[in-house]
Amino acid sequence: MAETLNMIELSMEEAINAVREELEDDIYTPLFILGRMGMGKTAGLKELAHKMGIGYCELRLVNMTETDMLGIPTITTYGQEKMVGPDGKEYTQDKSRTTYASNNLLPMVERDGEVGILAIDEITSCSDVMRAAAYQLLDAQRSLGNYHLPPKWKCIGLGNGPDDGGVFNGGESALWTRGGCIRVTPNVEAWKDYAIPAGVNPTIVAYLTMNPDKLHVYDPDEMDGATACPRSWENLSIKLNKRESRNNGRPLPREAVSTYASMYVGRLVGSTFAGFYQYKASDQLINPRDIVDGKALGKDIRQSDPEVIYITIQNVIGVLRDETSKDDYELSDSNKKKLVNTCKWCIDIGRQRTDYGIIACRDIIKSLGSSVKEFIISKEFREMCPEFLKFAHEKSNVIS
């Protein structure tokens, strides 16, 4: 109970959807999202705001003081008043009050829009004083000093739990009762929904599909160090994509991959990933172009190493993504044919190893653009590839 803080556990995708639903329903009470470092909590909120076309502002409490939150105090004169001194004589003095110059990081409707998300980051890492100051934005008054939060801006408190690998200075029940509370947990399938369209290196996606426990590796009983997490995998992906591009798309040497992986996700996970990466150069690997062109049907994959198939699946999804991204609203006839050829290959390998077919179908359906999804449910696709929908229906409980 201490680890979860009695909060519901959701994937990052589910947590972001919860925020989206509340904004759609005009619910502006706060939400708190806690989870391990590197899960993409802040990035997920920023992306949601972009997709919804609303404002986004961010406060990082550990970098701020109470004065930063309230604003710099100034004395404002608003008139004069008569006073009587100790000697009984009258005199006049300025009427004044203390006001606060609001922090420019706080949302302003004129600049940031009428509706938006205010991410209050590191709410469990900051001092008690700073958290108490944040309470003022999170209660019914929604104000700090002279500042009032716009009525259609939603505060989202972000932080780490006690065993999440970040700094945890606590969180009081008085804080959590101000809104809804969510604990985000690692989920490879939810992560892939983001990672594949974002262009994360296909070999990383394949490795984590086969080894989902490596998406986030953190042991609170061990000394802190380099850690595999969604953020560090994405950093490794940037490095691999750049180096592979310089190498004209050819696989990189094992020594280089081992170095890069160890730099970003730590030596233990990095060494196993480097071993997996070497299958990228295997002669068992199927050319993804042969798959989309319909030349790979009938190939016996039952003796192929699993690593090869996982890499092949992600490689062909990468090719399809590159091809179909050129179609704005509707797939071209040539891309329809490539998608049908790929789906037939998925069924072909599914007949030999059901789990391979399920993984391939699921990742294609979930990871490609709306034009692909619309074509897959069309009558034209059913006529071109009836076996795909039959397979998907039979395995719907695991493909969806």
Side-chain angles (χ1 to χ4, degrees):
M1 189 68 73
E3 181 182 350
T4 64
L5 297 176
N6 197 31
M7 297 178 182
I8 188 172
E9 293 184 285
L10 301 177
S11 70
M12 194 66 239
E13 179 187 37
E14 291 169 331
I16 294 301
N17 281 338
V19 177
R20 176 183 54 78
E21 287 180 359
E22 297 227 327
L23 287 165
E24 290 174 345
D25 295 337
D26 294 325
I27 298 174
Y28 300 105
T29 50
L31 269 181
F32 301 98
I33 301 177
L34 304 188
R36 297 179 186 178
M37 73 290 187
M39 288 285 291
K41 299 183 289 293
T42 307
L45 286 179
K46 191 177 296 185
E47 182 182 9
L48 173 66
H50 176 73
K51 286 181 177 179
M52 295 185 71
I54 61 177
Y56 177 84
C57 292
E58 183 179 311
L59 299 177
R60 291 186 175 270
L61 297 187
V62 295
N63 297 332
M64 301 177 72
T65 66
E66 191 175 9
T67 301
D68 293 330
M69 289 283 282
L70 288 172
I72 297 173
T74 58
I75 296 176
T76 302
T77 300
Y78 61 96
Q80 291 186 324
E81 60 182 342
K82 291 185 177 181
M83 302 291 291
V84 178
D87 57 0
K89 293 182 179 180
E90 290 188 355
Y91 67 95
T92 59
Q93 72 172 21
D94 292 336
K95 291 182 178 180
S96 61
R97 62 166 65 94
T98 300
T99 59
Y100 296 87
S102 300
N103 192 316
N104 196 47
L105 296 175
L106 292 166
M108 294 185 290
V109 171
E110 313 81 55
R111 181 192 66 194
D112 304 306
E114 182 182 5
V115 183
I117 294 171
L118 174 60
I120 304 178
D121 206 357
E122 296 161 332
I123 199 164
T124 57
S125 305
C126 65
S127 66
D128 295 346
V129 171
M130 282 305 302
R131 196 157 49 248
Y135 277 20
Q136 299 175 59
L137 285 172
L138 300 169
D139 63 18
Q141 300 301 316
R142 293 162 57 92
S143 61
L144 271 173
N146 300 110
Y147 173 81
H148 294 276
L149 186 68
K152 292 188 177 182
W153 274 71
K154 188 174 185 68
C155 291
I156 309 293
L158 303 174
N160 306 120
D163 297 318
D164 287 339
V167 176
F168 182 77
N169 288 329
E172 306 76 24
S173 294
L175 175 65
W176 310 133
T177 55
R178 280 169 160 75
C181 302
I182 296 171
R183 284 275 298 164
V184 291
T185 56
N187 182 294
V188 164
E189 293 307 317
W191 175 79
K192 283 162 62 177
D193 289 344
Y194 156 78
I196 296 175
V200 170
N201 188 276
T203 308
I204 290 178
V205 178
Y207 173 79
L208 293 175
T209 301
M210 190 172 178
N211 303 277
D213 59 311
K214 299 296 191 292
L215 175 62
H216 204 304
V217 180
Y218 176 73
D219 185 350
D221 295 326
E222 295 289 335
M223 182 178 293
D224 287 348
T227 300
C229 66
R231 181 165 56 207
S232 56
W233 282 115
E234 191 165 359
N235 290 336
L236 174 60
S237 170
I238 294 170
K239 180 69 172 180
L240 292 179
N241 287 345
K242 294 287 188 181
R243 297 312 300 179
E244 287 176 353
S245 177
R246 285 179 174 273
N247 203 35
N248 296 318
R250 297 189 301 270
L252 303 172
R254 177 167 185 157
E255 296 77 13
V257 175
S258 180
T259 298
Y260 304 150
S262 297
M263 284 168 52
Y264 288 105
V265 298
R267 287 190 302 167
L268 293 178
V269 176
S271 62
T272 63
F273 173 77
F276 181 93
Y277 185 93
Q278 294 314 295
Y279 286 92
K280 193 176 175 73
S282 170
D283 55 9
Q284 299 177 15
L285 205 64
I286 305 171
N287 188 327
R289 291 289 174 183
D290 288 345
I291 295 173
V292 299
D293 290 339
K295 299 176 182 178
L297 292 176
K299 182 177 177 61
D300 188 350
I301 53 89
R302 286 172 292 185
Q303 302 305 314
S304 298
D305 293 311
E307 293 87 347
V308 169
I309 303 303
Y310 280 85
I311 292 173
T312 298
I313 290 170
Q314 296 307 321
N315 284 348
V316 74
I317 289 174
V319 169
L320 279 176
R321 187 186 69 248
D322 292 343
E323 293 291 335
T324 59
S325 64
K326 304 169 187 174
D327 299 333
D328 293 331
Y329 302 106
E330 185 177 354
L331 291 182
S332 65
D333 290 341
S334 62
N335 281 338
K336 289 178 181 177
K337 183 63 176 174
K338 290 173 182 176
L339 180 60
V340 167
N341 288 337
T342 302
C343 290
K344 288 182 176 180
W345 177 79
C346 294
I347 303 305
D348 191 35
I349 65 171
R351 289 176 179 142
Q352 301 176 60
R353 280 278 303 266
T354 302
D355 55 331
Y356 291 163
I358 289 172
I359 290 168
C361 289
R362 182 175 58 202
D363 284 3
I364 286 173
I365 292 171
K366 293 178 68 175
S367 304
L368 297 179
S370 58
S371 58
V372 171
K373 294 174 183 176
E374 289 175 8
F375 176 61
I376 285 178
I377 62 175
S378 70
K379 180 180 178 181
E380 183 180 5
F381 179 80
R382 291 197 297 272
E383 292 173 348
M384 295 175 69
C385 190
E387 60 268 43
F388 181 84
L389 292 183
K390 180 181 178 182
F391 181 84
H393 179 72
E394 291 173 352
K395 310 299 180 183
S396 60
N397 61 320
V398 287
I399 290 178
S400 60

